[in-house]
Amino acid sequence: MLKQYRLRDYRFRLVCYVFAITIIGILVIGSAELSEQGQQILGMLLGTVAMIVLSLLDYTWVLKFYWLIYAFNLLLLLLVETPLGYENNGATRWLTFGGFRFQPSELCKLCLILFFARLFEKYKDMLNTWKILGLSALLFAAPALLVKEQPDLSTTISLCVIFLVLLFIGGLSWKIIGGVLAVGVPAAVIFISLIMQPDQQILDQYAWLRIMAWLNPTQYADNAYQQQNSIMAIGSGQLVGKGLNNNLVTSVKNGSFIAEPETDFIFAVAGEELGFIGCATIILLLALIVLECIQIGRRSREFSGTLICCGVAGYIGFQSFVNICVATGLMPNTGIPLPFVSYGLTSLVTLYMSIGFVLNVGLQPKKY
């Protein structure tokens, strides 16, 4: 469970990147919604403790309980449908224990990374057989469908991307990838043409409106205003921004033109108040964290360690890319938070736990 490690193998550089971007997030959240800043600081403290503990806990020992991790994950997602579930804005995504609120779908990302890291390592030589691929798809579908029914389409998409990254790193055959693309690309074109119809029944109404508002913000102004105001906010920051906690009447944030700016549109607040330099710093730190995870994964002694690191890199990289694209109007509004920056106690602690596992992989490198 615990091993003797060499201090020189501990990736303090990665820890510094994580702390730096979290502190930026705390400052921007305090400017967007001061009442939430204390919770984010608490999340950083709890996450740091979890990260340190997990970084010293042998990940290969943890992966021995991969079926228990999977079952625990399913149990939490099922409990959301019980009286313990908490509903907000028409979605039931949280569990409440006394005064504590917890979002199982965020922890689900890490649980699936750990589970499939061990499963794909165990069946590495059989991964391209239909038996293992079918089993993997079924095991993934169960939690993914539970998350979608909350409803939480954005997290479901994140889970799908994480699963595909793990499959690819696990050694999925290029023949299978080519076959999927040959079928998937035409299917995607047909899917897009179908959902463009006003009477479509494929997507939920809220998801359809988000896509239509992105394509035609003038016609669907009631659903496009957040994204359009986000673009204006980022542009108004220019090079150095208007400064944190400013009280300028020209501020998009101060005018409450973006609902809940501390979560999905935190990048807009950063752009307005920290300017291009602040936005570039956030993007650079996220990129460095992703690259560091990949580098640690390449040097992993065990194949499961490589899968964990690449899964975490895909998790952070995908969410960062999508969130920034949404804030800048390059993609429809998806509701995906910006890792380490957006407000969310469960999300932040889960990210720190993920980094903890990556750090432990780094403490057990290949012996050359």
Side-chain angles (χ1 to χ4, degrees), residues 146-209:
L146 287 173
V147 172
K148 183 182 181 299
E149 291 303 311
Q150 294 180 357
D152 194 348
L153 182 59
S154 59
T155 301
T156 306
I157 294 171
S158 293
L159 293 175
C160 289
V161 170
I162 290 170
F163 179 64
L164 293 175
V165 168
L166 292 172
L167 266 179
F168 179 76
I169 301 300
L172 188 64
S173 170
W174 282 103
K175 292 181 179 179
I176 296 176
I177 295 173
V180 170
L181 289 175
V183 176
V185 172
V189 174
I190 295 172
F191 174 78
I192 292 171
S193 64
L194 289 174
I195 65 173
M196 293 294 290
Q197 306 303 317
D199 57 346
Q200 64 87 33
Q201 300 295 322
I202 301 173
L203 291 178
D204 293 330
Q205 185 68 5
Y206 81 94
W208 180 79
L209 285 172

Side-chain angles (χ1 to χ4, degrees), residues 31 245-257 272-273:
S31 181
N245 305 302
N246 70 76
N247 56 4
L248 299 173
V249 294
T250 56
S251 169
V252 176
K253 180 208 70 179
N254 293 338
S256 299
F257 294 114
E272 183 176 58
E273 303 200 338

